[in-house]
Amino acid sequence: AQSVAQPEDQVKVAEGNPLTVKCTYSVSGNPYLFWYVQYPNRGLQFLLKYITGDNLVKGSYGFEAEFNKSQTSFHLKKPSALVSDSALYFCAVRDPGFQKLVFGTGTRLLVSP
Amino acid sequence: EAQVTQNPRYLITVTGKKLTVTCSQNMNHEYMSWYRQDPGLGLRQIYYSMNVEVTDKGDVPEGYKVSRKEKRNFPLILESPSPNQTSLYFCASSYDREKTQYFGPGTRLLVL
């Protein structure tokens, strides 16, 4: 069965510092991996995805994520955090053999001025 | 503008009173899905649809119904709502081959 783990409920960083939001996954085949962001009172917005190819994926708003097959991880990163990055971040995985997208429980990112 | 719309955005109702939350997309997407979001549980899939007249259960289908009579619409029906269905609901759609799902703005439901 597919599963996703986001081990941190909350991540705090200061503005200008690099940030990492962690995600590990479990699927039976080659995974499709996604990051979504949710701002207060808004729906989920797509940030980036990994389907195949280069392990470093670049997405919206300066975010990137690195696919690591041996560690089954897909951590979200940004070199320099902004206060406006404060939001709830969800990692999701899809097994290509299934039509279901499985989400992690979310990580709240707080960026202080 | 390409988008997924949901109505209503907010709804307060009472136990047992049937309700429908509508979802519509203008991107000609084949795949549509409903999720509920609860604190500490992330998003859980309720039902999904691969195309018109093709629907299937997700992880938490109990107490919900869906239909897909047209490609653009995928309503979520609660025949007899209960307080444990108080949640934030999201509709999503995608081209199957792209895999990226696009989400609606959400519907916050309170069942008293």
Side-chain angles (χ1 to χ4, degrees), chain B residues 17-20 63-64 76-81 85 89 109:
Chain B
K17 186 176 181 181
K18 181 180 178 180
L19 66 91
T20 299
Y64 304 95
L76 179 70
I77 303 156
L78 285 70
E79 294 271 3
S80 183
Q85 292 178 297
Y89 292 87
L109 173 65

Side-chain angles (χ1 to χ4, degrees), chain B residues 43-56:
Chain B
L43 276 80
R44 294 177 292 167
Q45 190 179 50
I46 303 171
Y47 269 94
Y48 66 91
S49 170
M50 296 294 295
N51 214 324
V52 176
E53 301 292 2
V54 181
T55 63
D56 208 347

